[in-house]
Amino acid sequence: MFLVLAVALALVALCSGGSGQRKSSAPRLVVEVSESHCGRGWSRPEPGVRTFDLHNTSDGAAEVYLEDPGTHAVYGEVEGIGPGTTRQLTVRVGKGTYAFMCVPDDADAVTGPTVRVTTGQRGPGAAPVTEHDLIPPALTYQKWVGGGLSAAVRLSARLREAIDRGDLAAARSAWLPAHLRYERLGAAYNAFGDADGKINGTDAGLPGGVHDPGFTGFHRIEYGLWHGESASGLRAPAAALVKALTGLRDSWAQSRMDPAQLGLRAHEILENTVQFELTGRTDYGSGSNLATARANLDGTLEVLSRLRPLLTTRYADLPGLDRELTQAGHTLDGFRHDGRWTPLDQLTRAQRERTDSVLGGLVERLASVSTLCDPRRTV
């Protein structure tokens, strides 16, 4: 699907064509996208909200940035403009210089002519992030994940020990801390590969459902602990969980997270939380979805702490994001009483709606973090 990315919520970017899409009432200008005539068509640089019809006249797909050619701050971008197609970009332009940069899929970037707007106030731009910029935060985050895996192994070993000695009450108490420690590592899941399915998979798509041999890990043990399964039946799944976690921990030093994915993961952690935890789709009896949501929020904060040096100079409303993160934490913490978390099915309608609203709004804000930290080709 064609995507238009907005910069730090400061730009209004619209898809063109197709039924049901929003239309812009802003004046529209046809701008050429090609290696030989990038940016041709913007000949009347007036201030205000301007909608550009970006028409790709080349024989390959391209992405386009509207930038300040002096500072390279990006004011708008469009990805995936196919050959012979047109896509819309709507931006508020004001006093300053602009140029379109056309970035073909298989060729060097080309910068079009500089356009000067002499009056008006333009929206904030953001300097492009390169993959090189993301390497230091990715390395520090990966080191932190290694420590988290070690803690998850220790806590899961306690869970296994309780099951081995037949103390299922102690096992139920040990299950949640171990699971939450793993859940806080959300931005690394893509780098965990098949191990994540063994450690934290669900029964979705398994022919035998919760009784399928392929149903393993934390949720398999959760199901057994809260559905009357005997300790003897849970010993093998508990041993397998510790083995999978230990193997992942031991191999983690040789793994390499993709730095380009760090910003995307900051968004996807809570996106998945809204999709799976707030709907109860991952509840196998413990009623701990809200505790998991809080762990996911903690994991998001860990990623953002590594990205903050990049966001400080690029995200105009970073204080607003911080306020919403704090609000989300307070909202979730309100469901913990004397060490116990309220199950989803015990929330009032007002509580559920507020939780959905707070976390849903935060997910929308974090989409801008993903956009700002998406590495861009500059040559």
Side-chain angles (χ1 to χ4, degrees), residues 29-45 51-58 62-67 81 89 98-104 109-116:
L29 299 167
V30 178
V31 172
E32 185 173 343
V33 177
S34 70
E35 293 181 50
S36 57
H37 296 105
C38 178
R40 184 169 68 177
W42 191 12
S43 57
R44 299 175 61 186
T51 297
F52 301 98
D53 285 335
L54 304 177
H55 181 63
N56 187 352
T57 60
S58 69
E63 56 188 87
V64 175
Y65 309 147
L66 180 62
E67 67 169 20
I81 307 177
L89 175 66
Y98 300 87
F100 282 100
M101 176 183 285
C102 303
V103 188
V110 177
T111 301
T114 296
V115 172
R116 291 178 174 80

Side-chain angles (χ1 to χ4, degrees), residues 71-72 74 126-141 258-263 303 305-311 313-314 371-378:
T71 66
H72 299 292
V74 177
V129 169
T130 66
E131 190 160 346
H132 180 76
D133 295 327
L134 291 166
I135 291 174
L139 290 175
T140 61
Y141 181 75
D258 182 358
Q261 298 294 311
L262 201 57
V303 182
S305 71
R306 273 70 183 182
L307 294 173
R308 185 167 291 273
L310 298 175
L311 294 173
T313 57
R314 290 173 172 86
T371 297
L372 288 165
C373 294
D374 182 25
R376 290 164 174 80
R377 284 175 54 194
T378 56

